[in-house]
Amino acid sequence: ESIVQELPRKSGLKILDAGCGEGHLLEACYKKYSENRYCGIDITEIALEKAQKRCPSIYFKRANLSDTGFESEFFDVVTCTEVIEHVVDYRVVLNELKRVLKKGGFFLITFPNEFLWTVSRFLLRRDPVKVPDHVNSFDPLQMKSLINLEVVKQIQLPFNMPFIMSLGSLMKFRK
């Protein structure tokens, strides 16, 4: 819901959800702003099949985030939620997502606080302690430096407390 609230309130926008999974975010966006054009890309075929069933009027594409196949400056908004921590070549992916974003467009990204997740898993006696498919760890300062665009908004999730006490971060950038 926090991400949906950050979408511009204009109609006819082209919005990309990079690493869309089963389409939950796109479904929420479409319900609130159906007049926009949405696209979801993911590498996982089964997730895309579920996404297409969930959102039949949205275009889905199987693609690697390091080479989306879209022309430069095509999208008004790019979202990438809970994805970048899974990506080995995250710099390449971030550059690709910025490439397909229009000048003046918005890039919304979320990422977990790996330290707090690991501590929580330890306290809850989860095995393995570290989330196994998270190959990267970020904090808001690192993300600001990596994306290197104007920061419009930063919200710590779920209660907007300092990052060290938050489960993750939502950052909104303008190109």
Side-chain angles (χ1 to χ4, degrees), residues 40 52 63 76 84 91 97 101 106 126 174:
Q52 193 67 72
D76 299 289
I84 205 70
R91 291 177 196 274
L97 299 179
L101 181 64
F106 294 99
R126 298 284 306 270
R174 183 187 347 258

Side-chain angles (χ1 to χ4, degrees), residues 103-170:
K103 185 164 179 56
F106 294 99
F107 181 41
L108 292 105
I109 189 166
T110 67
F111 51 92
N113 177 342
E114 290 296 331
F115 174 77
L116 191 57
W117 277 105
T118 301
V119 168
S120 299
R121 289 175 66 86
F122 174 77
L123 293 173
L124 294 170
R125 299 178 184 192
R126 298 284 306 270
D127 190 36
V129 172
K130 181 165 177 358
V131 179
D133 60 341
H134 289 192
V135 296
N136 298 306
S137 177
F138 303 99
D139 65 45
L141 286 175
Q142 288 173 302
M143 196 57 69
K144 181 179 177 182
S145 176
L146 285 167
I147 293 180
N148 196 28
L149 295 174
E150 174 194 358
V151 178
V152 176
K153 195 168 197 177
Q154 179 180 328
I155 303 168
Q156 307 315 331
L157 302 170
F159 305 113
N160 209 20
M161 298 171 73
F163 184 71
I164 192 69
M165 298 185 308
S166 298
L167 292 174
S169 189
L170 163 60

Side-chain angles (χ1 to χ4, degrees), residues 1-124:
E1 188 58 34
S2 297
I3 298 161
V4 176
Q5 294 301 320
E6 291 304 319
L7 293 178
R9 285 155 178 75
K10 293 169 65 177
S11 60
L13 296 174
K14 290 187 278 187
I15 299 174
L16 172 66
D17 187 14
C20 65
E22 296 179 6
H24 295 282
L25 176 59
L26 288 170
E27 178 182 39
C29 293
Y30 186 81
K31 283 181 179 177
K32 184 141 186 160
Y33 304 109
S34 62
E35 65 281 358
N36 292 323
R37 292 177 30 202
Y38 296 95
C39 176
I41 60 174
D42 203 285
I43 195 78
T44 310
E45 189 73 38
I46 189 89
L48 288 171
E49 289 171 9
K50 291 178 180 181
Q52 193 67 72
K53 287 179 185 171
R54 174 175 279 108
C55 309
S57 59
I58 292 176
Y59 173 72
F60 291 96
K61 176 180 179 178
R62 185 165 189 239
N64 189 311
L65 295 181
S66 62
D67 182 13
T68 63
F70 293 106
E71 62 188 70
S72 295
E73 299 194 6
F74 187 77
F75 292 99
D76 299 289
V77 177
V78 173
T79 63
C80 184
T81 60
E82 304 303 307
V83 172
I84 205 70
E85 65 274 10
H86 300 273
V87 179
V88 173
D89 294 327
Y90 62 88
R91 291 177 196 274
V92 174
V93 168
L94 292 173
N95 285 332
E96 173 67 2
L97 299 179
K98 290 190 317 184
R99 183 189 69 77
V100 300
L101 181 64
K102 289 180 182 176
K103 185 164 179 56
F106 294 99
F107 181 41
L108 292 105
I109 189 166
T110 67
F111 51 92
N113 177 342
E114 290 296 331
F115 174 77
L116 191 57
W117 277 105
T118 301
V119 168
S120 299
R121 289 175 66 86
F122 174 77
L123 293 173
L124 294 170

